[in-house]
Amino acid sequence: MPFIPHTEADTADMLATIGVATLDDLFDEIPAGLRAGALDGIPPGLPEMDIARLMQARARADGQPICFVGAGAYDHHIPAAVWQIAARGEFYSAYTPYQAEASQGTLQLLFEFQSMMTALTGLAVSNASLYDGASGLAEALLMAVRANRGVTARRILVPRALHPAYRRTLTTLVASQGIELIPIAFDAATGQTPLAAVEEAAGGEPFAALVLPQPNFFGVLEEVDALTDWAQAQGALVVGVVNPVTLARLAPPGDWGTSGADIACGDVQPLGIPLASGGPYAGFLCCRQDLVRQMPGRLVGRTLDLDGRPGFSLTLQAREQHIRRAKATSNICTNQGLLVTAATIHLALLGQAGLARVADACRANTARLVDRLGEIPGIAPLFNGPTFHEQALRLPVPAAPLLQDLIADGILGGYDLGLEYPELGSAILVCATEVRTADEIDEYAARLRRLIEARGTPT
Amino acid sequence: MPFIPHTEADTADMLATIGVATLDDLFDEIPAGLRAGALDGIPPGLPEMDIARLMQARARADGQPICFVGAGAYDHHIPAAVWQIAARGEFYSAYTPYQAEASQGTLQLLFEFQSMMTALTGLAVSNASLYDGASGLAEALLMAVRANRGVTARRILVPRALHPAYRRTLTTLVASQGIELIPIAFDAATGQTPLAAVEEAAGGEPFAALVLPQPNFFGVLEEVDALTDWAQAQGALVVGVVNPVTLARLAPPGDWGTSGADIACGDVQPLGIPLASGGPYAGFLCCRQDLVRQMPGRLVGRTLDLDGRPGFSLTLQAREQHIRRAKATSNICTNQGLLVTAATIHLALLGQAGLARVADACRANTARLVDRLGEIPGIAPLFNGPTFHEQALRLPVPAAPLLQDLIADGILGGYDLGLEYPELGSAILVCATEVRTADEIDEYAARLRRLIEARGTPT
Amino acid sequence: MLIQDASRPGRRAAAQSPSPPTTLPDLPERFRRRRSPALPEVSELQAVRHYTRLSQKNFSIDTQFYPLGSCTMKYNPRACHALAMLPGFLARHPLAPDAHGQGLLACLYELQEIFKEVTGMPAVSLAPAAGAQGEFAGVAMIRAYHQARGDTARTQILVPDAAHGTNPASAVMCGFEVREIPTGADGDVDIAALRERVGPQTAGIMLTNPSTVGVFERGIDAIAATVHEAGGLLYYDGANLNAILGKVRPGDMGFDVIHMNLHKTFSTPHGGGGPGAGPVGVSRRLEPYLPVPIVERTEQGYRWLTERERPTSIGRLTAFGGNIGILLRAYVYARMLGREGMPRVAEYATLNANYLFKRLTEAGFEAAYPRRRASHEFIVTLRREAKELGVTAMDFAKRLLDYGFHAPTTYFPLLVPECLLIEPTETETKEELDGFVEALIKIRDEARTQPELVREAPHSLPVRRLDDVRAARRLDLAWRPTSNDGES
Amino acid sequence: MLIQDASRPGRRAAAQSPSPPTTLPDLPERFRRRRSPALPEVSELQAVRHYTRLSQKNFSIDTQFYPLGSCTMKYNPRACHALAMLPGFLARHPLAPDAHGQGLLACLYELQEIFKEVTGMPAVSLAPAAGAQGEFAGVAMIRAYHQARGDTARTQILVPDAAHGTNPASAVMCGFEVREIPTGADGDVDIAALRERVGPQTAGIMLTNPSTVGVFERGIDAIAATVHEAGGLLYYDGANLNAILGKVRPGDMGFDVIHMNLHKTFSTPHGGGGPGAGPVGVSRRLEPYLPVPIVERTEQGYRWLTERERPTSIGRLTAFGGNIGILLRAYVYARMLGREGMPRVAEYATLNANYLFKRLTEAGFEAAYPRRRASHEFIVTLRREAKELGVTAMDFAKRLLDYGFHAPTTYFPLLVPECLLIEPTETETKEELDGFVEALIKIRDEARTQPELVREAPHSLPVRRLDDVRAARRLDLAWRPTSNDGES
């Protein structure tokens, strides 16, 4: 019996103590008609040896194409120490730290994480994580609506240049609460979200919050200072959506405009979390000090013990569902503790200088990639706005079959922008992080050139 | 500076405290003429990211052929828990437990290992491991010569059916101490080492010890009871060389003959240690209680602390080189602690029933393999003696090119016995452990049949 | 000491970052960060040592018995972690084509099938990232169902008063009003009260069964009939699924939708509070609304169905496919259990709970529902000890830590005073349970003879009892570069 | 509790063994085991919990400063472990053909080249499984060299009295007689004494440089000339190579053969006592005798040279290629250091040692060699404290454990009374060293004011001071199924 320690003697003794004859007698309060039969649809149990063989074969089958896609999930180096430590049983198999004295490891680590995220975002408060960047943004918007006492309108302006999957997630999670998500157009030349478009989306009516991705989905840098100042002047809160790696070099949300964004969120994935087909990742959420009581999710505070020594515990639990139930700031119950553990160790290993080097290397590699691909006739940047470490490229031939041919060669060549932005024509979004070598970039360019040439003269 | 924490300020402060101006001044006692120049033959340092890429590519390049070779190293399932725990920093980065109070983890684990090995071998004492099975056997023989006070002759009888690499290792390690290693022939029909051959090798002269592999290199079971009784009647010590997995089912050395073997040794590799091209493995060494003071290597004993509570410490250190120097029982200084950690966890996870199942599955799989291969014309067992989980097979065509063709198909088809036993003609030694599936075995048989048929009618 | 306090300007784990690029594209001044973020600057050994030592300050399943009720702290097999972390799985970008994810998708498809079979639900989505998201998805599907039928008057969700806090919170997040149903003295839902509260305004009811008070809801047939007759749907909160896994199927009890907490029943890591995963199973009538993505098997292989192929879906709950790595762990676990292992989980979890229940009540502890069969967990109330000895459930809990046991859940469910909700799980030995009983008896003795010892517990942990009031009043939520409070 | 004490008949970690085969070939009765071996019968969780908790009882580099002299307890990079444990490396059978090991062999070949460059030796073998085996191999090569020349009268090996115990033990294992050379008051070898003892009977001398007393042997040129002129060879014990890595090369000092302890200088894991690896480097005249296997690069790729291709080799030291996995770890470490990183190791190891040396002597502790520059380690003698306060070096060592520091090496080398041999290594921070100095000062204060506190230390560890005499007198080396001593 895998994972069950009972010997026959144990079971007999225990049943005798309880005073029943069989294991089945323990279910005697359940109406007989409800009892399940054999679960024939489930295969018989496998020893670890056999499931290991199966999983190894399946993992191998998925291959490991060379990745030139970012689009919300980034292929970064993860130090070996990160997961060797995060997977230690004491982190891996502990629960939410309800008994603070027996959970100082997790609690202190979460406090350190909160400290790192406030340092990165330039905001005063960070929670201990949410599910991922997209659902975290939804929580941020609910929070903004609750927090914005000056504006009762449940309207939020959302750039179309925000990640499409994030926009879809928002629709699922906040639309049912009567919140209206108003799209903002992007400029076809720059790829930025212009102030004029924001004004047009607002339509002169009050709105609770403006979402500001930096960089936006196209990798383009938004004029966050002007947009932040304008939106706050309208009484709206500004919710920044940021990639933490870029914050090593980009102005943090806390510094946007005159007074800084009110809330910032994003995905922790680029900080030590493997791509892993999309999860588990972790969302982070930071805000101004005065918004802390509207914060969803776990918060760890530093306090003192009976001897006056510092220690850590979950705090402001009165916001949460297990206390406040229907009136909680969110239904959220878990954070993504294990991923936060990895991210915290990752950031400690990189430090501020290391993270800046990673950001620089990503920018340099993407620039090299764009240069190389740009040498191919018909390929050119789609937008002329400033970018960070992703770039949208126009292609001379249809993107989808090209990407298919590339993947057959073991290259994940880019994200097909036509899937969500048909108006952009044949265009892809590419990214080359610090782990891509010059050889890999040149090889990609060479193959792409051959594939395009094989399709005849570019139009 | 990888792994060096010093900031420039630290270095300056520390040099000032010491009272020197530069780091180089710290080497001022070294004759100037001896100072090394630049190490141009060594490439510049690489970040972890780059060396990881290189190593991953190299590890992939080596492929993972399906393994039908045993011959001293066995492809067994290793539970995931084994190395996840063995690699914990507290085990991985601790030293030899000189400070017992700060090393109870390692010490208790070694005591448990010693207990497991005595249980497996049926002997009273086990040490805490030696380098590997072959060098461990050399230590066992040196020990036997020291311990055998009744026989001063430095002659040891060594079956040719002992693993050839072990025999070569003995030559390196014990011959320089004036010990004569006398080979014993095996029976060409049974593959066993017959008593008559032992008697012939002894030549009526005293000898200090008889080496008895069980099973022997050919996978054949020796008549250990008769051989042990005979050798001990001659005043010799009997040194068993055993595979710990087989001891789940085979009579342990402690039960051989009337009084049991005197010493038993072997390699721990089949207990949770990956094949890994041959190392690190670990040797084990067990003996009768009265031989303990001749034992080389570390020994952990259970004792009491100041409060009378049990605890563990290294004991009988007076045998060892750091105390006894030139008069030590061996020059050995390390054990193979990390591997012993893995093996101990492995054995705890298998238990007696699990180990027996592994042994049975190996026997059943090897039997299936021998059956399938035996259906191919010209292939038959080379010996008719009883076997455990390896089998020598006669081939109808030369072995070496056949094995080469198989490996090109991703199958490690067997060990070419002709390399060390040219008199055996074209023959291989095969093994199918519990991890080999019926499909893999059948696939091997099918390919081998095709390869042999392609070479024409068997002779 | 915080890692931030160990920081020194210019120190670095130098092997962990790339060499600086030789050329760097221009970044306009206005976008640039002015001051470096105050991230810790430490060596690799400092980081490794810091977090290794920090980990040792945690209780965990791998180190202690952890009978935290409602959390199912059973053994998380190490193989699940190793196999979910295979490089082939980790390296896959979420936007890679399905053709380069057939191995992964095969696992996820088969996991969907396993969940269908073991819950008795005909359709499953693995998308929700946690139990609470599963609840949201479930209630959102109920809402979508009624809306699709034009049945827009159904504005209420019924929730028993003993329910997990997530239930009402999730219902509210979906725009519903919550109506509470009282629990009877025997632990079952008060069906008379239910009948009063149900009506055309009822969108559905959210139930945990076995309930949070640790007993099987005997009136489940009547509840299902009552709610269904009123046009409402039944939501099964799978938090306690471990208690009945393979023995009773929520689908057979009449539930229309269920979420599962994989970190409970399917033994995925708790990870200090997550990640979870909250797959949902539904009846045929809710199938059109399942959240995306869902894995489909076709003749050409497996593929992910998204909003495109499932236009009536409630949509996407996270950016990509949910907590995939957790799903892989659950898959490995489910395959190791197999069809025969699933009911054994429920049997031995129930055996352990009832054994502990019996031993504790025989030792004189008061059960909250003494006449009921315990499910996988049960409630002891220490109201007598609190009153007579001045030693509370919290004091017992803290003192248990000194004995090397994690505390049970305290003060939940809210309706039982001074309660401990105790869930031993099926992976603990009889010896461990016996040791726990002995510890509780000893603590009660201590409460009689040296109550301060218990009231001031714990005494052997890295910190003594913490001042939670101070934590909330003098909020200190992050280290600041300028602060002088680095003494911790 | 021992894992054996947790055992219960019939309990099993059932996922860890294969299903019983349906048919099993016959095994004749006389070969069969009669009673099952008394291996522990525990659940998977029990095993995981037991060994996880056991690990927490260790001090280790990953958790504590570990200034154990002569052992070079520096950070073992986690990447080395991860990359040596890649499945492609682990799965390779030792008898697989070289063609299926080109990735591995490339690493080993390059490691040989790196070792040649950094030691100044023209040829290297990676075969020895540990430092002591490297010593054996080195001395065996010296023996083979003299024998090949017919120079059979050379029966003695010279060894300084301060040498590691392995030196004389290894010489004896090779059939030599050991002659000791005294150490002068300044820590250098007494060259006059050497000149007296050297002669036609001298096969060679074994030297550690820097020596075990922590100073560089200034007379190395004279020693080399003396021994070589007498026809002897020089053996370099690489135990202290970390002190001079990339700064001075043993080959340039005139040594004929060297072994390296990879778990010291090349940061492979100490693993609770192993595995080590002890590659040997030799001058051209010893090259024919190098132990096998050795990796060669040819136009067709890399291949392993064995006894067949190297008939004059001293032979094989283990069954297969030595501690390959350790060599891979050392390779990864060496590549991360690179040419510029190697001398830095020596520089900062020496900086840390001299800083600690200075701070301790300034604090009033007595240095064994006060006028010498410390190498990577140095000796403090507590003879004054022992005499005046009755608190020995061992007491200081045990009390340090209470302060969270592993103790330095005590009572080695034997020629300095009440000594601590302290080696901080290059990977520790100044703050850590300062903390260690403060702890030693506090302990000396305690020794003055409450000597019992120090004499009975440690007080905060899993056990108090252990009775080693009892351990040796009442030998208890294994748990026995029948014994009733399961109380531990």
Side-chain angles (χ1 to χ4, degrees), chain C residues 97-306:
Chain C
D98 293 350
H100 275 254
Q102 290 296 299
L104 169 73
L105 291 171
C107 296
L108 299 183
Y109 179 81
E110 292 171 12
L111 185 61
Q112 289 175 180
E113 295 299 306
I114 290 171
F115 286 158
K116 288 181 194 172
E117 178 81 1
V118 79
T119 61
M121 292 296 192
V124 162
S125 164
L126 305 172
Q133 243 200 5
E135 290 186 25
F136 174 90
V139 179
M141 287 188 275
I142 291 175
R143 183 185 153 105
Y145 168 79
H146 292 309
Q147 283 186 338
R149 292 157 45 98
D151 196 356
T152 53
R154 298 191 179 271
T155 57
Q156 288 186 356
I157 290 279
L158 304 174
V159 177
D161 57 0
H164 298 111
T166 45
N167 290 179
S170 298
V172 166
M173 277 196 78
C174 286
F176 285 106
E177 189 186 325
V178 171
R179 192 97 196 260
E180 281 204 347
I181 310 288
T183 301
D186 57 359
D188 286 337
V189 163
D190 179 341
I191 294 193
L194 170 66
R195 291 207 169 104
E196 275 168 29
R197 286 161 174 77
V198 80
Q201 77 287 2
T202 303
I205 185 170
M206 301 181 80
L207 268 188
T208 314
N209 192 14
S211 72
T212 59
V213 303
V215 298
F216 190 86
E217 180 60 60
R218 290 170 297 190
I220 182 61
D221 282 338
I223 294 171
T226 303
V227 175
H228 278 153
E229 276 161 26
L233 300 184
L234 273 82
Y235 182 95
Y236 183 90
D237 173 346
N240 294 346
L241 184 63
N242 207 58
I244 57 163
L245 190 70
K247 301 293 286 185
V248 193
R249 307 193 308 168
D252 298 339
M253 289 191 247
F255 285 94
D256 298 281
V257 50
I258 165 179
H259 87 263
M260 287 160 270
N261 300 85
L262 299 193
H263 61 285
K264 297 182 182 179
T265 310
F266 289 89
S267 215
T268 61
H270 301 82
V280 284
V282 293
S283 57
R284 283 276 169 233
R285 53 184 167 178
L286 290 182
E287 186 174 0
Y289 312 110
L290 277 174
V292 290
I294 298 169
V295 183
E296 182 190 51
R297 184 165 63 179
T298 73
E299 288 189 3
Q300 287 74 46
Y302 298 95
R303 66 175 189 144
W304 244 321
L305 303 179
T306 65

Side-chain angles (χ1 to χ4, degrees), chain B residues 1-10 45-50 79-82 84-85 88-90 349, chain C residues 8-19 43-46 52 55-56 63 75 78-82:
Chain B
M1 300 190 295
F3 316 124
I4 293 177
H6 299 67
T7 66
E8 285 180 27
D10 289 338
L46 292 178
E48 180 179 316
M49 174 177 96
D50 294 340
V82 169
Q84 287 187 33
I85 299 175
R88 285 171 58 88
E90 301 94 320
L349 284 166
Chain C
R8 294 293 177 275
R11 193 173 281 167
R12 226 153 57 79
Q16 298 308 342
S17 47
S19 317
S43 73
E44 185 163 325
L45 173 55
Q46 283 184 295
T52 301
S55 77
Q56 294 182 339
T63 47
Y75 174 56
R78 290 264 136 204
C80 301
H81 177 63

Side-chain angles (χ1 to χ4, degrees), chain C residues 313-390:
Chain C
S313 164
I314 59 161
R316 174 174 297 274
L317 298 161
T318 60
F320 303 111
N323 285 344
I324 304 283
I326 297 302
L327 301 172
L328 285 175
R329 286 170 174 82
Y331 173 72
V332 171
Y333 176 72
R335 291 298 306 269
M336 287 197 285
L337 287 187
R339 66 165 73 111
E340 70 281 19
M342 303 245 173
R344 276 200 306 243
V345 163
E347 286 165 3
Y348 288 89
T350 305
L351 177 67
N352 273 1
N354 279 280
Y355 174 76
L356 204 50
F357 181 62
K358 181 70 173 208
R359 287 225 43 207
L360 286 173
T361 50
E362 280 185 347
F365 289 97
E366 185 184 350
Y369 298 94
R371 270 175 296 277
R372 295 297 304 271
R373 181 74 71 203
S375 64
H376 63 309
E377 63 189 359
F378 62 94
I379 303 172
V380 161
T381 169
L382 298 170
R383 59 183 166 184
R384 207 168 53 216
E385 288 78 0
K387 193 175 162 198
E388 294 171 5
L389 308 171

Side-chain angles (χ1 to χ4, degrees), chain A residues 326-414:
Chain A
K327 297 195 173 64
T329 55
S330 165
N331 73 337
I332 204 162
C333 187
T334 51
N335 57 21
Q336 300 279 100
L338 189 63
L339 295 317
V340 169
T341 305
T344 305
I345 301 169
H346 185 88
L347 272 178
L349 284 166
L350 286 183
Q352 49 180 263
L355 194 69
R357 285 200 176 185
V358 170
D360 290 349
C362 291
R363 291 180 60 223
N365 277 349
T366 301
R368 182 188 180 97
L369 175 66
V370 170
D371 283 353
R372 289 291 172 282
L373 298 185
E375 291 163 5
I376 302 170
I379 296 188
L382 184 64
F383 302 115
N384 59 22
T387 59
F388 194 81
H389 74 338
E390 281 182 276
Q391 182 94 39
L393 295 175
R394 185 189 316 281
L395 299 185
V397 295
L402 206 58
L403 292 172
Q404 248 171 2
D405 287 354
L406 280 167
I407 193 82
D409 278 354
I411 293 174
L412 191 61

